[in-house]
Amino acid sequence: EAQVTQNPRYLITVTGKKLTVTCSQNMNHEYMSWYRQDPGLGLRQIYYSMNVEVTDKGDVPEGYKVSRKEKRNFPLILESPSPNQTSLYFCASSPSRVAVAGYTFGSGTRLTVV
Amino acid sequence: AQSVSQHNHHVILSEAASLELGCNYSYGGTVNLFWYVQYPGQHLQLLLKYFSGDPLVKGIKGFEAEFIKSKFSFNLRKPSVQWSDTAEYFCAVIYNTDKLIFGTGTRLQVFP
């Protein structure tokens, strides 16, 4: 089944403790992206990647890092999480730079930083 | 700046009522338009999309949307809603790039 898999689904952590949220797609998509969803703000893009080793900042990149060493994986790294990064995170992928078919989203990761 | 506006933040309807959710985007040349739905506790799913051609687009589950270029709008409609349509609906736009810009979402509650 074609899908985007995120792990974990839920995560509670403490301020400053490094964490990684994994994202993997099995559709051979070139384009991958991370969003955070907050009430009243919709989805905001954190980082995106147009292919292996090609990443760029989205609208809200502060406090996040990403890497794209393999086409299928696009992990989101929080080096020193803070409470304002408490949010619902979605990974998405699409076949190409122009997302003709729309994006496929993962199931989300609900992160709480205390 | 490129932006997407959804003016209805929260809509409450009874089953069988008609639905129209507004979406307006700022001018920016060629656009690709989408509506996504997020059912409670789930990820976003594509409802329908518009790239070119017939401005009236039909999607899944009886939804449709009309692209009106002169009004920069892409409103979502359904003639008769069901309880199972309770969800959050997001309009999204791509402006000549690969970046998908989302509106802030409209929460729809349908009561039996």
Side-chain angles (χ1 to χ4, degrees):
Chain A
E1 181 189 350
Q3 60 186 357
V4 176
T5 303
Q6 286 179 236
N7 280 297
R9 290 292 306 275
Y10 301 92
L11 178 59
I12 301 174
T13 191
V14 296
T15 298
K17 186 176 180 181
K18 180 180 178 179
L19 66 90
T20 300
V21 183
T22 64
C23 174
S24 181
Q25 49 93 5
N26 62 0
M27 297 166 281
N28 201 37
H29 284 173
E30 288 186 354
Y31 184 89
M32 297 185 75
S33 181
W34 277 102
Y35 290 86
R36 59 177 288 174
Q37 183 180 10
D38 300 291
L41 296 176
L43 281 86
R44 294 177 293 168
Q45 191 178 49
I46 303 171
Y47 269 94
Y48 63 96
S49 168
M50 288 190 277
N51 214 324
V52 175
E53 301 291 3
V54 181
T55 63
D56 208 347
K57 296 177 181 178
D59 297 315
V60 288
E62 294 78 20
Y64 304 95
K65 282 175 58 177
V66 292
S67 68
R68 187 91 182 273
K69 295 181 178 147
E70 305 165 282
K71 200 170 188 179
R72 62 184 292 128
N73 295 324
F74 190 46
L76 180 69
I77 302 157
L78 284 72
E79 294 272 2
S80 182
S82 62
N84 64 13
Q85 293 177 298
T86 292
S87 186
L88 179 59
Y89 292 86
F90 286 101
C91 181
S93 74
S94 69
S96 66
R97 181 174 180 162
V98 177
V100 175
Y103 288 18
T104 302
F105 284 85
S107 299
T109 296
R110 186 166 290 282
L111 172 65
T112 302
V113 183
V114 298
Chain B
Q2 296 160 346
S3 64
V4 182
S5 299
Q6 290 181 246
H7 305 294
N8 315 105
H9 298 295
H10 190 188
V11 174
I12 301 173
L13 294 172
S14 299
E15 274 192 322
S18 64
L19 170 72
E20 180 159 3
L21 301 182
C23 173
N24 288 91
Y25 62 94
S26 60
Y27 173 75
T30 303
V31 293
N32 297 328
L33 300 154
F34 303 83
W35 275 98
Y36 283 84
V37 60
Q38 185 179 31
Y39 297 104
Q42 296 189 28
H43 62 280
L44 279 80
Q45 302 171 42
L46 183 66
L47 261 184
L48 49 79
K49 60 183 184 285
Y50 173 81
F51 296 113
S52 63
D54 189 344
L56 186 61
V57 180
K58 295 197 182 298
I60 60 171
K61 305 188 181 187
F63 286 92
E64 64 179 30
E66 185 174 12
F67 171 54
I68 303 179
K69 191 173 181 179
S70 60
K71 295 184 178 180
F72 304 104
S73 70
F74 189 56
N75 292 354
L76 181 71
R77 299 194 294 245
K78 187 170 183 179
S80 176
V81 295
Q82 301 171 311
W83 177 79
S84 58
D85 292 325
T86 293
E88 190 152 17
Y89 292 82
F90 292 93
C91 182
V93 180
I94 294 180
Y95 292 87
N96 301 319
T97 70
D98 54 329
K99 181 176 175 179
L100 196 60
I101 300 174
F102 284 90
T104 53
T106 297
R107 186 177 167 214
L108 172 66
Q109 280 185 290
V110 180
F111 290 96

